[in-house]
Amino acid sequence: MSTSPEQPVLQVRKLSVDFPHKDGAFHAIESLNFDLLPGKTTCFVGESGSGKSVTARAIMNIVDPAIITQGSVTIIDRESQNSLELTSLDTDSEEIRAVRGARIAMIFQEPMSSLSPVHTIGQQIVEAILLHQDVNETEARKRAIEALKAVHIHSPERAVDRYPFEYSGGMRQRAMIAMAIACEPDILIADEPTTALDVTTQAEILLLIRELQRKRGMSVMFITHDMGVVAEIADDVAVMLNGRIVEHGPVDQIFHAPKHPYTRKLIDASLGLEQAAARPVPPRPDKPLIQIDDIRLQFGGHKSWFSKTVYGAVVALESVSLSLWPGEILGIVGESGSGKTSLGRVLMGRYKPVSGSAIYTDRQGRERDLTQAASFRDKQVYREIRMIFQDPYSSLNPRMTVEQIIAEPLRINGLASGNELRERVANLLERVGLSASMMERYPHAFSGGQRQRIGIARAIALEPRVIIADESTSALDGSVRAQILDLLLDLRDELGLSIIFIAHDIGVVRYLCDRVAVMHRGRVVETGLAHQVCDAPVDSYTQRLISAVPRPDPRQRGLRSA
Amino acid sequence: MNSTIMTEAAADLPEDSSTVRGTLAGTESQWQLIRRRFRQHRMARVSLYILILFAFCAVFANFLAPKDPLKVQARYTYAPPQGLHFIDRDENGDWSFRPHVYGYKVEVEPEALRRVFVIDPSKKIYLNWFVEGHEYKLLGLFPSNIHLFGPERKRDPLYLLGSDRLGRDMLSRLLLGTRISLSVGIVGVVLSLFFGVLIGGLAGFYGGWFDAVTQRTIEFLRSLPTIPLWMALASAMPSDWSPLRVYFVITLILSLLGWTELARVVRGRFLALKDEDYVAAALYDGASHIRVVMRHMVPAFTSHIITAASLAIPGMILAETALSFLGLGLQSPVVSWGVLLQEAQNIRVLATAPWLLAPGLAIVIAVLAMNFVGDGLRDAADPYAR
Amino acid sequence: MKHLNLHTPPERRLTVMALSIALLVAPGTSLLAADYQEAPQLAEQVKAGTLPPVEERLPENPFVLEPIESVGTYGGVWRSALKGTYDNGWIRRTVAYQPLVAFSLDWSEVVPNVAESFEVNDEATEFTFHLRKGHKWSDGEPFTAADIDFALNDIAKNPEYKGEKAPNFDWDNMTGEVIDETTYRITLERPDGLLIQRLASVDGPFLTFAPKHYCGQLVPSVNPDADKLAAERGFDSWSQALEKTCFTYFTDEKRPSLNAWQQATAYDGLNQIIEFERNPYFYKVDTAGNQLPYIDKATMLQSENVEDILLKVINGEVDFSNRHFATVTNKPVIYDSQESGNYRLTSTVDARMNHAILQLNLNNEDPVKRALYNERDFRVALSLATDREEIVDVIFAGQGKPFQAAPRPESPYYHEELATQYTEYDPDKANELLDGLGLTERNDDGIRLNSAGDPITIQLYTPSDQIEFNDMSQLIVNQWAEIGIQLDQRNVERSFVYERLHGNQHDMHIWWGDGGLGDALLDARYYFPFNRESAFALQWAQWFNNPDSEGGNEPSEPARKQMELYRELKASGDPAQQAEIFKQILDISAEQFWVIGTVLPAEGYMVVNKNLGNVPDSQPYAWLYPQPAPMGTSQLFYKN
Amino acid sequence: MTLYLVRRLVTMLLTLLALSVVVFVVIQLPPGDFITSYIARLSGSGETIDQAVIDTLRERYQMDAPILAQYWAWLKGMLHGEFGYSFEMKLPVAQIFSERIGISLAVELLAVVVMWAVAIPIGIYSAVRQYSIGDYFATVIGFFGLAVPNFLFALVLMYICYVWFGVTITGLFSPEYMNAKWSLDRFLDFVQHVWAPVLVIATAGTAQLVRVLRANLLDELNKPYVLTARAKGLEKRKVIMRYPVRVAMNPLVSTIGWVLPTVISSSFVTAIVLNLPTLSPILLRALLSQDMYLAGALILFMGVLTMIGTLISDLLLAWIDPRIRLGMVGAN
């Protein structure tokens, strides 16, 4: 399988894991074969549910409540060449515990919930060290500090006594890595370690992993669904679909000569974004649809009665001025906390800014200030400005059928009823690429992409003029994301929509948007045509942001060691 | 974990294969899902049957009761339970299916001040189905004197669970008590729910000062020691009220102090739901607050409310019992489990008439069953919980 | 002294009574000082010099108690139980009954007790008590006439004293004077032939309760700094301090007493066991010259729960008691455990003549009800409609017999007509009587309508702590429904019953038939409107006690006649005459049929440790006769 | 933290004031007053009372003063540390209180400790072995304790101990130690007696705790940090104890404040049946006899205890949960 002549540190053969269930078993992974090589990074790609994480856990032999039905996981000592088969061991036996953490370490996607909230970072690292190394506590603490230093955490002596919630997301992930490498493992399994992070942070973490890998000669098993990341760091790639590895090979081969159609689909979807052509700028009328002027939004500054916490005033938006022109797609990019979502909520009347205005000219030509609650009273604005949410799971009421969900705005606004309503819902479903026959189902029967389509159907049900899409594709897997983006583009053209597209993914913005506004710490730092901003950013922050985006091509690796 | 992975996997299958798995979860509504998951909880299922049985007993108490629960029988004070026999053997030694009990031989021991009962196998009392007995109103509406079963001759003693100090049939009293006790629990919880959902809902939805005041009030009410408070409230009740009125007021008192727990649950759910995107979506659809609350938010935690309620009912039943113990709850001629137990609250009964503790067993079974149903509901409550 | 013979024909006992009170009672045989013996531990103390020798501690003429069975031996503990914090009644009934004069065991006479002898003049206005020379309080201080004078003048008659004092005494009527150290005389303005009995009753010890040298500190007439002292001890006033210290709450264990056992722990509601230890100065000896008491110590456990007491009883942890637990309901359990609990049962004759008296409120504020309730035939009809045999059967396991509100058959005042009239169950006759009253209309439920056209509903509140009242009422509800009378019965907190009662808001009241034996004269509440417990005519009773009082109302002619007769009775010092007048009162009662009785209580019982000696086989059971104290509990002893 | 504490104390004072009003109203609610109940009680033993005495009593206890004046007098007294005088026991409330409070708290806290000591392992077991036989067994037993009314349990226990072992288990001391000073022997005697009430009280609350812990733990067991800890190579048992249990305990700690009033309420009935020398029987008597100052002070005290309990549990929670301590999340 492996093209490398080197001796693998881990051999996986015919590994299968089942989730036992009343009506038989669900095969999470079936008959996997692969090797991990020292000093090499093997990326596992595939969409969520394809069995990547289960594979990782199966290697550690922690799969309960599932069971490993067959296969072997053999870990081979690099020096002594002694090998140990793991799946046959008791899941809580001393032998396997000696492997876990010491020889195979693992880091996870969500660093907040993967760290105990009630122990300090130091306590958690020290515990790992004490488990596997014959040192006393003082020494372990010293090593923990060293580990923190190794992952570039500032003043590790102090950071070691902090709790996870006192860390930023990136720092938490570093802490996780510090914990993983504290015992100098042979194999590091990273399960989507950067998915929850901003691109800039992601870049730092990727660099860090690569650096540590080189320094220590670790073998890295890296799980991700982001082809850009794969292209950036992988030596080998395994593509998983429905619990099986459908393609396995060196990264260059996977990207430039994919064999399996599914692999091709993945590559295309990510390359598609990258290769979007610059679109012509639509002609501008004399007046923007929404004119945002000098908005300042600030939170808190008051005492909360029941939560017993006193918040200081946090400025979320500062002198934000933007305009949305009819028919254009305006991208708003920035890291989390940059204020982009707050801006969207200001426009929906959810937050009231301290100062500034957002003048919207409605269909009748009346000007309405979206910062004033009064503008929303007659529901007119709600009919014309619609929102698509980030999370396709939480934005659909699980207790309502798809029909009810899509019909709700129509019903509330008294636009249709009875058979007509049903027909319109059917039409809307078909328009977003879903079958009208699915109308009576509940959201939980749909995939993420399908749900997002339902959300879009709801948004366009009222024939709006503006759609605010808040990170609407960031929760989706690559190929699905591309479909949704194309759908939005189609709808724009069909319905003459204007779209404010809020995202942190530069690739997506570049693909979809006409113009882009880059936000940083509540301010707009740069605006311009999408391809100009993405290809030739002026502002230094934008430059950093752009350069942090991994390119989905292993031949154009962009990350450089800091 | 398990189910999440499965759903995901199912969802990500290509569309054409959705018929394979999709039908399973496709069009099931929340209730169908809850029902399905609830059915998998064996204890809860059995408990539910038990509760249905209890409810049936409560509704048809009079019909099921073989004797008048209030009828005093001088000859049969503290009569022990009779064994129920099904197979009858006549003089010729032939066997036949004929339910019967044996009569008693009664002796008075003047020194010990008691009646001594000896089961007399020579006196067979045959039981018939649908016999005429004391009059009652079926469902409180239709006058009737037909009872599910009873002795062939109306005046024969039939004490399957023994009799109390006034010779009243314990089984019949227990059945009648079921009605009151269960309804105290249910009515009390319904009232608590009303206050709890209303107040908790307002607090959770609007927050602000109302929430602050509500929070303080709840904290305050919960800091009151319940029993002394009940006592004081119960003893403040004008005594010339009819038993029925007393019953309602007792229930009201219990629920007045019981709403806090539910309000807390409701408030918490509201607070959490308020930030759900689909609630925001409903607002952006232009829905009014009432519609948002009723159509979009309340359905999301009805299952939680039901769970909370199913766990609160036993509390009410026990509270009523405790009040009765202190002599402040319901009282005869109203028959509730608490009243029955209060009458059994003495060494004399423990020593010589332990069958009078049957209501205690009924309480235990009912409370256990409700808790298991509550547990089952909780496990099944939120099939969408991720 | 003979055992109580309660089956003596009433007439005969009447004479006994008549004699004994009128006569000057002679002291018992005197013994030589050298004959006295004492308890071993006292002897040790004497030896150690911490206690004077027994002959110095005893009065010159000790009370010589003739034992019921035999002379006993020293030692042991008498265990019993108290319920809650207000059970001083049991203490008063057992260890604290040392009045000047006491009831005899059979309640037939009043005999000297603390007083060596006493005289009453024929007019019943002058009462002279001769105390024992050398009689000492339990701390060794002399007990003299000054102590009685202190109780009477400085406490009872002191208008500044706001605390409780012994009720039922007409203190204003009494003037006391110290004749000499051992002689005290009480003079009355108005004659009171019952005073001597009152003094022998449970309230009597009030006069021998307060050592002047101890309690006097708290009274300004003795100690000008009394208020200051009271304040030092944490009281608001001297009066409060005195009440707590010297009244019958037993909250001050340091107060010296004349009792056989001196209190050692305060009954303050906090101590869980109240102990009484041998009083080395106790003034009684047995016929062999042994200083009493035989038993070293009396302990009373304070329990909150009658069931707990019952459990202790059947577990043999109670030696001699009937307090709280000796009910009809508990009898089977107690009877069964005699062997395992090492106790036996002795009987008591309840002074109560009825398990329940039903009193219709003849002073009802509602004119329609009042008119109806005042119809004798109405009351008779209700009585005839009451199936007393059923009550006896169901509630009292067949023990007891139908009886009206009348002195018991054992009583010298037994009145057959009053006791037995209308006790038969005759609903037909009852219906006839009601029809005769014009109450012929009935509503759909078969309830008769009154003159105003409303259904006749009688409200009855039964105290929730008396389960028998509740049970009986439930039976009566059904029985009366047969004749078309609705009894609306509710179980309520006892204080609520009294709240209604004192507001004269009741239709009917249910209570025990007190005053059935020797106490009939002292407590005539059911025979005519007598006191606050005569719920059938509270306004008349109030008028009787004070014609000027607010809320009083002039009684009907027959009632007034009874009241006059009672005054006449009180003015007589002659028991025979008293009995004669009392019969006249009862004649009127019979004729008027004020209240409806139910069931004559059968024998009560008492739990007695099998090893306990000198226990009477039978004794009256009453409040005024504080059973078992008049037996002389100091003679109790453990065999072996 | 200081600010938080100060704010909590201020709200506590306000709540206390509100509580005093409620308590006063509640003790005034029942019809009649101490005098009526006193008279009623006397008549029980056949005693009667003169009107003059009644009038004196009424005057002395200021029964006829306007409600507001009575309340004010009561409140003022309490502000001066005078809790009034028990009509019935003829003792200052403070004295009654100080005599009984120790033993009351001892029994109640012991019950709480036992509850926790039993509930925590069972809760952990039930969560880790969800739906196992043991889980069901623990649940049934726990619910049984919850479902059996306290008074019934206490009474049956009393009777069983009598029948089987020939002992009466009521009270907290044998007679010989009842009035004795504290000593080792008395303490041992106490231990021999205290198990019964503690058993009765604790069974009532254990199920609740088990259930809360089980539910919390079930939530926590699926958290990724558990996987992290296992991936470190930690033993499963240690993982569970060190991580999810630790986190799941937090909400439990926050219930201490509620546990106390629950325990007080359930000990109320138990104490009466088992004849414990605690404050509960005194309160019951005070309520029944309308000994209002005593009842008022005791109820108020229970309220205060609850408030302190809540405060302690909040502080405790802050202490064990750094998220709260460092102000990241509000308590509760």
Side-chain angles (χ1 to χ4, degrees), chain B residues 324-338:
Chain B
S324 290
F325 164 74
L326 295 168
L328 295 164
L330 303 171
Q331 45 176 263
S332 49
V334 174
V335 180
S336 75
W337 290 343

Side-chain angles (χ1 to χ4, degrees), chain A residues 211-373:
Chain A
E211 178 196 324
L212 292 167
Q213 178 196 29
R214 290 208 180 125
K215 232 185 257 173
R216 304 180 183 217
M218 282 187 303
S219 171
V220 174
M221 173 180 174
F222 198 101
I223 294 168
T224 181
H225 64 262
D226 186 335
M227 293 309 284
V229 172
V230 175
E232 206 60 70
I233 62 163
D235 295 308
D236 286 336
V237 179
V239 181
M240 289 192 73
L241 176 67
N242 293 343
R244 292 170 190 275
I245 294 177
V246 292
E247 189 165 1
H248 189 183
V251 64
D252 199 69
Q253 181 196 319
I254 294 287
F255 272 81
H256 293 280
K259 288 188 191 106
H260 196 273
Y262 179 69
T263 316
R264 219 169 295 139
K265 203 171 119 196
L266 284 178
I267 306 284
D268 288 350
S270 54
L271 283 176
L273 295 182
E274 191 67 12
Q275 291 157 358
R279 269 186 298 272
V281 184
R284 279 189 185 175
D286 14 307
K287 208 171 150 194
L289 204 50
I290 300 178
Q291 178 61 51
I292 300 165
D293 260 320
D294 201 23
I295 284 195
R296 178 187 163 86
L297 176 70
Q298 148 181 338
F299 290 121
H302 68 282
K303 279 192 286 185
S304 160
W305 259 86
F306 44 88
S307 74
K308 290 130 189 159
T309 318
V310 185
Y311 299 102
V314 173
V315 177
L317 294 174
E318 181 74 71
S319 354
V320 171
S321 299
L322 276 175
S323 28
L324 175 70
W325 296 88
E328 79 167 348
I329 300 181
L330 173 65
I332 298 177
V333 287
E335 295 175 340
S336 54
S338 61
K340 45 190 201 306
T341 297
S342 299
L343 182 61
R345 292 194 173 168
V346 166
L347 296 181
M348 292 307 287
R350 196 108 184 258
Y351 294 158
K352 188 171 163 35
V354 184
S355 61
S357 63
I359 307 294
Y360 167 66
T361 311
D362 70 11
R363 223 167 239 150
Q364 278 86 37
R366 283 175 299 182
E367 290 194 348
R368 288 167 176 255
D369 188 345
L370 301 180
T371 62
Q372 300 303 314

